[in-house]
């Protein structure tokens, strides 16, 4: 398997790139944000417990998120690999992902990160909020809180994977194609 963590702050372009990369490399794409939104739309128990956190720009508790991710991975045991998008977002989630993959004799091969400045992120998210229908994109306070939470809880994962020699940063500003090209250069060396 090839298991990639696609990393970066909210609005960095992870979802856009993941959709291209999953086709290109035939990997299963798991976006925790998409799974939560799907569950909110269908008013499942998971959706109901996640909604209040998401609407406030906070992280959904680790236990809920980890159980959901585990179930998703187990649905695709025969996959050629995964692109994890929006997961892990905390050290506890990164530990859990490592354990889950180890139980399948697999591991995270790389964290590929999209690097984008904060002010560009706020601009992109508010613009997306005009059309995406995502309430967490439409409100500047919520957008800024998500970026703050990213620095407080998630950014540390750069060092986490750097220590394992698995971190690859890529400039996340440019056209979609240019950025795919930059990510592909990293991924091609791993496969
Ligand atoms: N791994 C996770 N752990 C906790 N909460 C998460 C996780 N992934 C997504 N969420 C929740 O879903 C929201 C939307 O996630 P996502 O679609 O990845 O958006 P973003 O564009 O902010 O990266 C997050 O702000 C958070 O509340």
């Amino acid at each position: 398997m090839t298991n990639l963590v696609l990393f970066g702050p909210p609005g960095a372009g992870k979802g856009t790139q993941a959709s291209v990369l999953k086709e290109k490399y035939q990997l299963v794409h798991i976006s925790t944000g998409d799974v939560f939104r799907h569950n909110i739309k269908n008013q499942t128990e998971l959706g109901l417990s996640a909604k209040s956190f998401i609407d406030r720009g906070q992280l959904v508790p680790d236990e809920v998120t980890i159980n959901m991710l585990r179930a998703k991975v187990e649905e695709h045991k025969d996959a050629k690999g995964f692109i994890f998008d929006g997961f892990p977002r905390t050290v506890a989630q990164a530990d859990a992902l490592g354990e889950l993959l180890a139980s399948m004799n697999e591991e995270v091969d790389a964290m590929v990160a999209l690097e984008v400045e904060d002010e560009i992120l706020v601009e992109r998210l508010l613009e997306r909020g005009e059309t995406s229908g995502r309430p967490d994109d439409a409100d500047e306070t919520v957008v800024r809180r998500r970026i703050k939470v990213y620095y407080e809880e998630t950014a540390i994962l750069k060092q986490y994977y750097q220590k394992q020699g698995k971190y690859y940063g890529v400039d996340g500003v440019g056209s979609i194609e240019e950025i795919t090209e930059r990510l592909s250069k990293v991924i091609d060396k791993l496969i």
Side-chain angles (χ1 to χ4, degrees):
M1 278 187 173
T2 304
N3 298 307
L4 306 174
V5 172
L6 191 57
F7 191 66
K14 299 185 292 289
T16 307
Q17 292 299 329
S19 320
V20 182
L21 295 173
K22 72 167 182 193
E23 297 297 336
K24 182 162 177 188
Y25 295 101
Q26 296 293 299
L27 302 172
V28 172
H29 171 210
I30 302 180
S31 158
T32 43
D34 285 351
V35 176
F36 285 136
R37 281 185 290 277
H38 180 80
N39 278 275
I40 290 171
K41 200 169 141 212
N42 293 298
Q43 300 189 330
T44 67
E45 206 177 311
L46 174 67
L48 292 174
S49 56
K51 187 176 179 348
S52 60
F53 297 98
I54 294 179
D55 285 350
R56 280 181 273 148
Q58 292 172 348
L59 294 183
V60 177
D62 280 335
E63 201 194 326
V64 176
T65 307
I66 289 167
N67 287 337
M68 181 269 271
L69 191 277
R70 191 181 296 123
K72 279 279 151 201
V73 168
E74 284 171 358
E75 280 172 24
H76 300 279
K77 283 224 148 126
D78 50 355
K80 285 174 67 179
F82 292 93
I83 301 178
F84 298 102
D85 161 9
F87 187 95
R89 264 174 150 102
T90 63
V91 171
Q93 292 181 14
D95 288 342
L97 179 61
E99 283 162 26
L100 172 63
L101 292 173
S103 76
M104 301 159 61
N105 290 318
E106 294 291 338
E107 61 177 354
V108 169
D109 293 291
M111 165 178 271
V112 276
L114 294 170
E115 296 168 341
V116 180
E117 264 173 59
D118 290 359
E119 285 314 307
I120 299 180
L121 298 173
V122 175
E123 232 173 80
R124 284 188 188 176
L125 288 167
L126 291 173
E127 202 179 294
R128 185 168 81 186
E130 287 173 16
T131 53
S132 70
R134 279 180 55 170
D136 62 338
D137 283 344
D139 179 328
E140 183 160 349
T141 314
V142 174
V143 164
R144 290 198 184 271
R145 178 160 324 128
R146 279 156 59 202
I147 294 171
K148 184 164 174 274
V149 169
Y150 170 81
Y151 284 108
E152 286 172 353
E153 302 194 48
T154 307
I156 184 81
L157 296 179
K158 173 176 176 177
Q159 284 92 294
Y160 183 102
Y161 287 103
Q162 246 170 358
K163 274 192 209 141
Q164 303 179 18
K166 293 177 177 172
Y167 179 87
Y168 302 86
V170 155
D171 180 2
V173 182
S175 70
I176 293 176
E177 294 76 17
E178 278 166 348
I179 297 165
T180 306
E181 183 65 32
R182 291 174 199 151
L183 292 168
S184 299
K185 270 197 191 137
V186 174
I187 299 168
D188 286 339
K189 285 191 198 134
L190 300 166
I191 288 183

